Amino acid sequence: MKFLNRKTLVLMLVAMMLVLGACSSNTPNSGSTNATNNPSNTTEPPNDASDDPVTLTMLVSGAKAAEGEDFELETLPRLVKEKFPNVTLEVQKLPDEQYYTTVKTKLGAGEGPDIFLVFPKLANMGAIEVAKAGYAADLSDLSFWDRVSPAAKNDMSYDGKPYAVAKGMDILGTFYNKDLFEQAGISELPKDWNSFLEAAEKLKAAGVTPIVMGDKDPWVIQFGMYQLAANSVYPTDPEFDTKLQTGETELTDEKWIKTINQYKELYDKGYVVKSSLGMASAQAVQQFVDGKAAMIFTGTWDLPGVTASGAAEFERGFFSLPGNDANQPIYASASTAAGFALNAKSANLDVAKQVFEYLYDAESPLFEAWVASNPSISVFNGVELQNDIFKDSLSEIQSTGNAFYFSNQMWPAGVSDVMQAKFAEIIGGQKTTAEDVAKAMQDKYKELYKE
């Protein structure tokens, strides 16, 4: 199959930024006028569920909310029951790596949940993968698509049909402890790679762990890597990923070598906590909220965790990791977020679609609860920015368009796994080089990519 070229995808991201610009103001978003005319937009919603008892199952990834009511585990089942008294929603939430294995096994055996979590485009458990496998139901007939950013809809589509509803847009970034920055004499946020290294050195000299990462969960290696790639790979070659598909470029390119070496430098210089390979991501977040480290690389989705109460009280901030050279602009790593899909083989597909109509109708108590609990930046028209900590980063993206999506969304599932495994060898002190990591990534890409 052919995929959108890089130029088209960048234009789509900019279009999403324009929609979000309206969403974050007090003016209702008018971006829906740009949506492609689709017969699904005029389809009447399904009738209310019948009175027959129905049990829907739902499987998602992540950890239970650190504080307050968990939306998927508690709020969603309760509000679904209030609207549809005959419907019982049973939700299971698994750690990320366990989720991938479990949901694929269940879906492959025809025993999958009625509702499950998928990711954009080509990512592991991505919309394209689950659509091609016949796991996810075509959602074209649902009535709310004219209220969703066209870019977010497209990222969850295959052959022009949507198969999942994105939670919003996510930004990878650096959450930081403003108090520790001030104590170390860091008066302004770093504007390029060298000034970021200088800031990390100041923190280290002040006896503060600059960065904490839970590399025992290997997927967190992506969180710093993609921020750096947004600055070192794509600005000079926005079509890089499309050229990978044709063989015009390779992941062994000097730009990816530079990216990997930049991330390696943080470990080589002792700026990342030494015990990272023995620390799970939840432990790393706890270290951050307890005031034991100044920074952590993660995304907007992790806001509840990194702002939870800990052993220390301090003000948090958020910025894009500046992997850029001096006097060059900073590019953010921003992308459509994960979202919910429906099982194409569900015996209760019609009822599940009714739940989706209610969840995403823009005015129901369930929609309001979803927006209030969702740390991702909404891609639904008229929804204002909920979390001010992301205001500066979002404004910068909106005003400049300087952003590229997460690299793995244009790679076959498995390439990022190799990247993580080989980079973990570097963290562990083996003699693995950036060139070794890049070669392993390229070899896996050639093995898996099918046009």
Side-chain angles (χ1 to χ4, degrees):
M1 124 171 221
K2 298 285 187 181
F3 298 103
L4 294 172
N5 64 36
R6 187 72 200 188
K7 180 178 180 181
T8 302
L9 289 164
V10 171
L11 290 173
M12 286 167 50
L13 180 58
V14 172
M16 183 187 288
M17 296 306 105
L18 294 175
V19 171
L20 291 169
C23 290
S24 62
S25 70
N26 292 322
T27 305
N29 188 301
S30 59
S32 60
T33 59
N34 294 324
T36 301
N37 291 328
N38 188 328
S40 66
N41 293 336
T42 60
T43 301
E44 292 295 325
N47 294 326
D48 286 345
S50 70
D51 294 332
D52 296 334
V54 173
T55 297
L56 295 177
T57 57
M58 182 175 182
L59 187 61
V60 297
S61 70
K64 187 179 185 298
E67 296 179 346
E69 192 173 72
D70 186 282
F71 177 79
E72 287 93 355
L73 294 175
E74 299 166 293
T75 309
L76 181 58
R78 173 171 54 80
L79 293 181
V80 166
K81 176 63 74 173
E82 288 182 9
K83 174 64 176 176
F84 307 107
N86 61 308
V87 177
T88 299
L89 179 61
E90 297 179 350
V91 184
Q92 185 180 14
K93 183 176 280 192
L94 299 175
D96 291 324
E97 292 303 309
Q98 186 180 348
Y99 170 77
Y100 291 123
T101 302
T102 301
V103 72
K104 286 184 179 182
T105 300
K106 287 179 176 292
L107 289 168
E111 302 171 351
D114 298 295
I115 305 170
F116 57 100
L117 191 72
V118 304
F119 296 82
K121 299 196 286 274
L122 280 169
N124 194 6
M125 275 300 292
I128 293 173
E129 176 186 354
V130 297
K132 292 176 70 174
Y135 296 151
D138 176 5
L139 303 181
S140 298
D141 61 336
L142 299 183
S143 65
F144 50 76
W145 288 113
D146 61 343
R147 297 192 295 272
V148 179
S149 156
K153 178 183 178 182
N154 186 81
D155 286 349
M156 290 299 197
S157 295
Y158 172 66
D159 279 354
K161 298 176 181 179
Y163 287 87
V165 186
K167 290 183 178 181
M169 185 189 78
D170 279 328
I171 306 173
L172 275 171
T174 307
F175 286 93
Y176 73 103
N177 183 322
K178 291 187 176 182
D179 293 358
L180 291 179
F181 267 47
E182 183 178 351
Q183 292 171 25
I186 304 169
S187 57
E188 62 179 9
L189 293 177
K191 301 298 183 184
D192 54 47
W193 182 240
N194 285 335
S195 60
F196 180 81
L197 295 177
E198 290 170 2
E201 186 62 37
K202 286 183 178 180
L203 289 162
K204 185 179 178 183
V208 174
T209 298
I211 304 161
V212 63
M213 295 299 295
D215 293 322
K216 184 177 180 180
D217 292 323
W219 37 266
V220 305
I221 290 171
Q222 299 173 87
F223 298 168
M225 196 77 79
Y226 297 160
Q227 292 188 72
L228 295 171
N231 290 275
S232 295
V233 176
Y234 302 118
T236 59
D237 194 357
E239 301 283 346
F240 186 89
D241 289 321
T242 304
K243 293 176 183 177
L244 273 179
Q245 297 171 1
T246 61
E248 295 174 73
T249 58
E250 294 190 346
L251 290 165
T252 52
D253 184 278
E254 62 181 10
K255 292 185 284 293
W256 263 104
I257 300 297
K258 177 182 178 181
T259 295
I260 298 165
N261 272 323
Q262 282 180 297
Y263 204 36
K264 179 177 180 291
E265 187 172 9
L266 298 180
Y267 289 84
D268 290 345
K269 292 186 173 179
Y271 296 151
V272 181
V273 64
K274 293 182 179 179
S275 58
S276 71
L277 280 180
M279 185 181 296
S281 59
Q283 294 174 288
V285 169
Q286 191 64 49
Q287 291 274 309
F288 177 75
V289 301
D290 285 343
K292 296 180 179 180
M295 293 178 279
I296 186 169
F297 302 146
T298 186
T300 46
W301 62 85
D302 239 350
L303 180 66
V306 298
T307 56
S309 299
E313 294 185 7
F314 58 91
E315 185 178 358
R316 278 80 161 166
F318 181 85
F319 64 93
S320 292
L321 179 60
N324 55 309
D325 294 332
N327 301 315
Q328 296 298 314
I330 299 173
Y331 285 79
S333 183
S335 185
T336 297
F340 299 142
L342 299 180
N343 189 339
K345 299 178 182 178
S346 169
N348 299 302
L349 183 57
D350 288 344
V351 175
K353 284 188 174 183
Q354 292 172 48
V355 171
F356 267 31
E357 290 282 11
Y358 186 58
L359 170 58
Y360 301 118
D361 74 351
E363 58 185 23
S364 70
L366 182 53
F367 180 83
E368 292 176 356
W370 177 61
V371 168
S373 66
N374 186 1
S376 299
I377 298 164
S378 182
V379 291
F380 272 73
N381 300 340
V383 178
E384 298 181 5
L385 180 66
Q386 301 293 299
N387 301 295
D388 285 344
I389 191 172
F390 304 130
K391 183 178 180 180
D392 290 344
S393 293
L394 180 59
S395 295
E396 183 68 18
I397 294 171
Q398 290 170 342
S399 64
T400 65
N402 290 345
F404 290 96
Y405 55 73
F406 309 159
S407 303
N408 69 318
Q409 292 188 2
M410 285 291 284
W411 299 342
V415 176
S416 60
D417 294 337
V418 169
M419 179 186 75
Q420 294 158 193
K422 294 299 289 185
F423 193 83
E425 294 176 4
I426 291 176
I427 299 172
Q430 298 185 40
K431 295 182 179 180
T432 305
T433 65
E435 287 78 6
D436 295 332
V437 177
K439 183 180 185 303
M441 292 165 62
Q442 176 60 27
D443 289 346
K444 180 57 68 171
Y445 186 96
K446 289 182 67 175
E447 174 190 336
L448 297 176
Y449 178 72
K450 308 297 180 185
E451 188 173 348

